[in-house]
């Protein structure tokens, strides 16, 4: 094995892509961070046993994958996986005990392109894909990620997940139909799509409709079966009528305060970072990330993740209303 300093430098090169891999496996940014730390620690302790029969990268992926499989937690969900709540549900308190699917900062995705030029593609990092693969058992999930996301061979995958090549091929055949079953109905497949100018324009029209307090204009941008979720609150709204009923009170500053939106991307999806200035203050503070799934030119889903951590997502700090 190379020198201690050389090993540390080599292993550190893969931190960002290992974080993305663990995030795909676990659906949790926090858990992915923990598992990557554990992976690098296990690698450090076992470095003398590394015989060089595979690359350091493949060895680290194997350690990370097994560490993810060892995480014994329920699959990550969004509120519509729970029992439905009747409207109005806004009075329900947040559920911190539920393993919610977490967003991943694009500012970190930009650092994580794999050395072999496999892109961090939008269709394999967006929330719909991550929710779909959560329906797979962990080892099947790993097989699908290695084969269909990272493009590894069956033999390379077998070594990474401690299976035979035949078992890898069988697991992949079982995993693909489950994936397609749980992808959104508006999507025919999970082929790559970049954020388009038309999607950015749709978000501009959404903000204009919000600023004009125009529920009808908001409704015109939505699919009939739009779904809005607000983790960690255990409720959701489905269909234009309930969606607009849930949003309309917020159009009036007296209800909660005044909103400003900053366009960004999270999980490679078009996103509006929602900043709120309550009536009693003069400061806008990050309140939530409104992550949009746009299909066929209209909004199919809004996932509003409540957060104040602007630094993690590369967003503006709280600022005065006059700024």
């Amino acid at each position: 094995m190379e020198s201690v300093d050389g090993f540390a430098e080599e292993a550190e090169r893969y931190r960002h892509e290992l974080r993305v891999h663990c995030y795909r496996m676990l659906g949790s940014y926090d858990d992915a961070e923990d598992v990557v730390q554990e992976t690098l620690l296990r690698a450090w302790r076992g470095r003398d046993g590394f015989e060089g029969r595979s690359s350091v990268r493949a060895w680290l992926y194997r350690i990370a994958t097994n560490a993810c499989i060892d995480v014994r937690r329920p699959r990550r969900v969004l509120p519509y996986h729970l029992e439905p709540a009747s409207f109005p549900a806004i009075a329900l308190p947040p559920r911190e005990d539920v393993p919610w699917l977490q967003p991943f900062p694009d500012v970190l995705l930009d650092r994580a392109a794999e050395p072999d030029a496999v892109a961090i593609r939008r269709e394999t990092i967006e929330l719909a894909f991550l929710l779909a693969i959560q329906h797979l058992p962990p080892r099947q999930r790993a097989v699908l990620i290695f084969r269909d996301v990272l493009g590894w061979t069956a033999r390379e995958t077998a070594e990474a997940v401690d299976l035979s090549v035949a078992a890898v091929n069988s697991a992949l055949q079982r995993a693909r139909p489950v994936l397609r079953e749980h992808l959104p109905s508006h999507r025919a497949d999970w082929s790559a799509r970049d954020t388009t100018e038309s999607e950015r324009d749709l978000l501009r029209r959404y903000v204009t409709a919000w600023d004009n307090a125009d529920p009808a204009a908001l409704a015109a941008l939505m699919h009939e079966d739009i779904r809005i979720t607000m983790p960690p609150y255990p409720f959701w709204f489905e269909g234009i009528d309930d969606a607009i009923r849930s949003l309309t009170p917020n159009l009036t500053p007296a209800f909660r305060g005044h909103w400003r939106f900053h366009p960004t991307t999270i999980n490679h999806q078009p996103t509006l970072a929602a900043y709120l200035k309550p009536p009693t203050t003069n400061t806008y503070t990050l309140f939530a990330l409104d992550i949009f799934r746009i299909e066929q030119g209209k909004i199919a889903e809004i996932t509003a993740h409540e957060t104040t951590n602007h630094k993690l997502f590369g967003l503006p700090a709280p600022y005065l209303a006059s700024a």
Side-chain angles (χ1 to χ4, degrees):
M1 188 63 186
E2 59 187 298
S3 69
V4 169
D5 290 342
F7 169 82
E9 183 178 350
E10 176 76 0
E12 187 64 28
R13 284 179 55 202
Y14 302 105
R15 176 183 293 273
H16 294 306
E17 62 176 287
L18 288 171
R19 186 196 286 121
V20 175
H21 175 64
C22 293
Y23 174 69
R24 285 189 179 112
M25 283 289 297
L26 300 171
S28 165
Y29 174 84
D30 294 335
D31 287 350
E33 282 279 84
D34 292 342
V35 170
V36 169
Q37 286 296 108
E38 176 65 21
T39 296
L40 296 178
L41 181 60
R42 290 186 190 183
W44 173 259
R45 289 172 175 169
R47 64 191 185 280
D48 291 337
F50 176 66
E51 299 176 354
R53 289 178 294 187
S54 64
S55 66
V56 171
R57 179 176 182 246
W59 181 57
L60 290 172
Y61 266 89
R62 178 176 183 173
I63 296 172
T65 300
N66 283 296
C68 288
I69 291 171
D70 289 343
V71 174
R72 304 295 182 184
R73 292 182 186 150
R75 68 183 177 91
R76 293 278 162 171
V77 299
L78 286 180
Y80 55 83
H81 294 110
L82 307 178
E83 290 298 319
S86 59
F87 193 98
I90 201 68
L92 290 176
R95 287 280 303 277
E96 303 295 350
D97 59 318
V98 175
W100 302 112
L101 182 73
Q102 294 180 339
F104 195 100
D106 272 21
V107 292
L108 295 179
L109 288 176
D110 292 342
R111 304 178 194 171
E114 291 88 347
D116 62 0
V118 175
I120 304 296
R121 298 171 300 176
R122 170 173 169 176
E123 82 279 11
T124 64
I125 202 67
E126 65 181 14
L127 300 181
F129 177 82
L130 294 165
L131 283 173
I133 63 173
Q134 285 284 304
H135 290 274
L136 300 171
R139 208 170 294 274
Q140 266 188 44
R141 192 182 312 152
V143 167
L144 185 135
I145 290 169
F146 279 121
R147 296 288 283 118
D148 284 357
V149 175
L150 299 180
W152 288 28
T153 67
R155 183 170 299 280
E156 289 169 331
T157 301
E159 293 175 357
V161 296
D162 297 323
L163 292 174
S164 67
V165 171
V168 163
N169 291 334
S170 176
L172 187 60
Q173 289 176 350
R174 295 194 303 274
R176 283 171 173 166
V178 175
L179 172 69
R180 296 185 185 280
E181 177 186 352
H182 291 284
L183 284 172
S185 59
H186 286 293
R187 178 184 296 177
D189 54 33
W190 52 289
S191 59
R193 295 151 32 258
D194 292 329
T195 301
T196 65
E197 181 57 35
S198 64
E199 289 178 330
R200 288 187 284 269
D201 179 65
L202 188 148
L203 260 60
R204 285 192 287 267
R205 286 183 283 144
Y206 179 93
V207 172
T208 297
W210 190 287
D211 290 343
N212 292 337
D214 189 345
L218 288 174
L221 304 175
M222 300 174 177
H223 280 285
E224 289 290 336
D225 58 351
I226 184 176
R227 180 163 54 203
I228 298 178
T229 58
M230 305 176 186
Y233 296 92
F235 54 81
W236 71 98
F237 306 102
E238 194 152 14
I240 283 183
D241 290 344
D242 277 358
I244 294 302
R245 289 171 70 190
S246 73
L247 295 177
T248 296
N250 289 282
L251 301 178
T252 304
F255 176 67
R256 185 175 288 175
H258 189 269
W259 297 89
R260 284 185 180 175
F261 297 97
H262 293 258
T264 185
T265 57
I266 300 293
N267 289 78
H268 284 343
Q269 293 179 243
T271 300
L272 292 174
Y275 283 69
L276 176 63
K277 184 185 75 65
T280 56
T281 75
N282 197 38
T283 302
Y284 286 92
T285 302
L286 179 63
F287 182 85
L289 301 170
D290 295 345
I291 304 173
F292 289 74
R293 180 166 61 83
I294 298 171
E295 303 287 352
Q296 301 169 355
K298 288 193 173 184
I299 302 167
E301 187 167 355
I302 304 173
T303 306
H305 285 272
E306 187 172 298
T307 182
T308 59
N309 193 346
H310 63 276
K311 291 183 180 179
L312 176 62
F313 297 97
L315 293 166
Y319 57 91
L320 295 177
S322 58

